[in-house]
Amino acid sequence: EPEVTQTPSHQVTQMGQEVILRCVPISNHLYFYWYRQILGQKVEFLVSFYNNEISEKSEIFDDQFSVERPDGSNFTLKIRSTKLEDSAMYFCASSGDSYSNQPQHFGDGTRLSIL
Amino acid sequence: AQTVTQSQPEMSVQEAETVTLSCTYDTSESNYYLFWYKQPPSRQMILVIRQEAYKQQNATENRFSVNFQKAAKSFSLKISDSQLGDTAMYFCAFTKGYGQNFVFGPGTRLSVLP
């Protein structure tokens, strides 16, 4: 079964540095998402992306965050100037459209640790 | 805005027994989709089961089944013949439709005891 892949599995970064988290969604999916899970807390929606633009974003997704689909396969989340509170598990997900009736498939996540 | 509530932060069950995890949600939408995801210690998010709100029949997937009560906005997960590998965090999730973001509940930590 096709999978969403995320790299790296664990990223350690100094506070204030930029970090890019990478995702390869399932190839025929049209919608892409980023979620965040702070340790011990629930999974929170960050942003969704469709047709090469952001379709929805949460209050968490402020100006320090950006997303990009630089080519036909990758979907990236960039955090410009990381803060300690950005330490979390970041999940990428993708889904087809309503006609394909497919739920979101999640990647295995990237554990981001800010020092 | 939609909200999802899971009132049981932690539960335990003996191996081979049956356990039910509860989930309630709040929405004004008439059609939507509900899911249960499992998150083992490895922290992957694994789809367990899904339910379309327009379907009256409760979804089942092998040992997993749901009790979907649309009027009560309740969506409980029943795990039959619990196995040690079922030990995980279980999240209930709501979405208005495919292509829409998920709203997750806070999770229930399930421990299956030998």
Side-chain angles (χ1 to χ4, degrees):
Chain A
E1 185 175 326
E3 294 181 344
V4 175
T5 56
Q6 290 185 242
T7 54
S9 57
H10 190 191
Q11 174 82 44
V12 181
T13 303
Q14 291 287 334
M15 186 173 63
Q17 295 295 307
E18 175 182 284
V19 66
I20 298 176
L21 309 183
R22 303 182 190 279
C23 170
V24 179
I26 294 174
S27 62
N28 62 346
H29 280 183
L30 302 175
Y31 294 87
F32 315 113
Y33 314 82
W34 282 103
Y35 292 85
R36 179 182 80 175
Q37 185 184 30
I38 295 172
L39 185 64
Q41 299 186 22
K42 67 178 179 180
V43 179
E44 300 172 292
F45 167 72
L46 289 177
V47 65
S48 59
F49 193 85
Y50 173 72
N51 200 25
N52 287 318
E53 59 183 25
I54 291 173
S55 52
E56 190 172 358
K57 60 181 181 180
S58 72
E59 292 177 352
I60 303 169
F61 193 86
D62 61 22
D63 291 344
Q64 70 163 344
F65 291 94
S66 62
V67 290
E68 195 176 37
R69 190 156 161 81
D71 52 42
S73 59
N74 290 285
F75 178 53
T76 62
L77 174 69
K78 182 192 291 186
I79 309 175
R80 289 191 184 81
S81 178
T82 50
K83 305 172 195 162
L84 293 176
E85 54 264 36
D86 293 328
S87 293
M89 195 78 165
Y90 289 82
F91 291 100
C92 173
S94 69
S95 67
D97 58 19
S98 57
Y99 301 104
S100 64
N101 207 30
Q102 289 296 314
Q104 291 184 24
H105 291 253
F106 284 80
D108 289 346
T110 293
R111 185 186 302 274
L112 178 63
S113 299
I114 307 300
L115 305 179
Chain B
Q2 289 78 27
T3 58
V4 177
T5 302
Q6 293 177 250
S7 59
Q8 305 147 316
E10 292 189 31
M11 293 191 73
S12 61
V13 63
Q14 292 290 333
E15 196 175 6
E17 297 293 306
T18 295
V19 65
T20 299
L21 309 184
S22 65
C23 171
T24 57
Y25 58 93
D26 188 26
T27 184
S28 58
E29 303 289 330
S30 58
N31 197 27
Y32 46 87
Y33 303 82
L34 297 162
F35 302 83
W36 280 97
Y37 278 86
K38 168 185 176 181
Q39 187 180 44
S42 62
R43 300 193 74 184
Q44 299 169 288
M45 292 290 284
I46 302 167
L47 177 64
V48 175
I49 200 167
R50 62 173 162 164
Q51 174 83 41
E52 290 87 351
Y54 62 84
K55 290 186 177 178
Q56 293 185 337
Q57 187 173 8
N58 288 324
T60 62
E61 283 287 340
N62 301 314
R63 298 183 295 107
F64 299 89
S65 62
V66 298
N67 183 6
F68 174 49
Q69 301 288 328
K70 191 172 184 180
K73 297 181 181 174
S74 169
F75 182 61
S76 60
L77 173 69
K78 185 170 84 170
I79 306 174
S80 305
D81 186 26
S82 297
Q83 300 175 359
L84 296 177
D86 295 334
T87 292
M89 197 76 169
Y90 286 81
F91 291 98
C92 179
F94 168 102
T95 184
K96 289 188 285 188
Y98 294 106
Q100 303 290 316
N101 66 286
F102 276 21
V103 177
F104 285 88
T108 295
R109 186 178 303 281
L110 177 67
S111 299
V112 180
L113 308 174

